[in-house]
Amino acid sequence: MNRKRCDWVEGKEDIYINYHDEEWGIPKYDDDILFEMLILESFQAGLSWITILKKRESFREAFDNFNLDKIIDYDDAKVSELMENEKIIRNRGKIEATIANAKVFKDIQKECGSFSDYIWGFTDGEIIKAEYKTKSELSEKISKDLKKKGMKYVGPTTIYSYLESIGIIDNHTPECFMF
């Protein structure tokens, strides 16, 4: 079946099409998935999303399947090991931010009951449809709050993309079968 999709994915590789069809813009509430997507989005800053998708399994392997409790305990030796791993993005700042962000993520869980409750609380659980931007007042507000809490690599554009990836913002275009 030949389905019409959002223009940004038409004619792209299967991994990109599958991400669009099975994940992008679909609401996510599981903290493990929310954490993984936050980390992947932070690594994507300055790069293309296809690069991250192609390295996703390697990221999962390198970062203990995004196990929050393990990442919180990463030490200098683990950072060095990650810096040697050619299968992931070897950016010391982003790797160190992942560890710091894991700690903040855990603090938010303790404070709010779950990260899901925190992040969805910004829209009272509502999905925002069809904005088609790269950042918004919402992403700026969340970015500012996360930075205040100590997170890094969570600028308004990164957070906007994150909100799309976890389904808080659904930017599937009207002609897309996912709309």
Side-chain angles (χ1 to χ4, degrees):
M1 185 167 103
N2 214 0
R3 299 191 228 191
K4 179 73 176 134
R5 293 177 174 86
C6 297
D7 288 342
W8 62 265
V9 77
E10 288 293 349
K12 298 286 199 276
E13 298 172 55
D14 285 347
I15 193 171
Y16 220 31
I17 292 168
N18 292 337
Y19 173 71
H20 170 273
D21 292 0
E22 298 166 14
E23 291 186 68
W24 191 71
I26 297 171
K28 293 163 192 63
Y29 303 95
D30 180 279
D31 275 12
D32 293 337
I33 294 168
L34 295 174
F35 179 66
E36 175 180 347
M37 294 311 297
L38 184 66
I39 298 310
L40 292 175
E41 289 289 353
S42 70
F43 269 95
Q44 188 263 333
L47 302 169
S48 68
W49 185 242
I50 191 71
T51 300
I52 300 303
L53 285 178
K54 287 179 177 179
K55 294 178 178 284
R56 189 177 193 178
E57 288 306 317
S58 297
F59 270 104
R60 285 177 174 157
E61 187 178 308
F63 284 92
D64 294 296
N65 208 28
F66 295 103
N67 182 307
L68 188 61
D69 294 318
K70 287 184 179 182
I71 293 173
I72 286 170
D73 290 333
Y74 283 4
D75 57 13
D76 291 340
K78 181 64 177 185
V79 172
S80 295
E81 175 190 316
L82 291 166
M83 286 297 294
E84 296 296 318
N85 187 335
E86 295 179 4
K87 295 178 182 177
I88 65 168
I89 308 298
R90 296 180 294 169
N91 178 307
R92 183 173 295 278
K94 291 179 180 182
I95 291 169
E96 291 173 348
T98 297
I99 300 164
N101 290 355
K103 292 172 184 172
V104 175
F105 194 97
K106 187 81 164 182
D107 289 343
I108 291 170
Q109 286 179 320
K110 288 176 187 169
E111 177 187 333
C112 299
S114 70
F115 190 83
S116 179
D117 287 345
Y118 165 79
I119 200 72
W120 281 94
F122 283 95
T123 64
D124 294 322
E126 296 296 316
I127 296 168
I128 297 167
K129 295 279 280 177
E131 284 191 327
Y132 313 119
K133 300 177 182 179
T134 56
K135 64 182 178 179
S136 66
E137 284 183 33
L138 176 63
S139 73
E140 288 176 8
K141 181 179 179 180
I142 294 171
S143 171
K144 186 176 179 180
D145 193 61
L146 290 172
K147 287 178 181 180
K148 188 175 85 179
K149 292 177 184 305
M151 280 200 186
K152 296 178 177 24
Y153 289 95
V154 289
T157 302
T158 297
I159 292 302
Y160 191 87
S161 183
Y162 176 64
L163 295 174
E164 289 176 304
S165 74
I166 65 170
I168 289 177
I169 296 174
D170 179 359
N171 274 343
H172 287 283
T173 55
E175 61 278 357
C176 177
F177 80 96
M178 294 287 293
F179 185 75

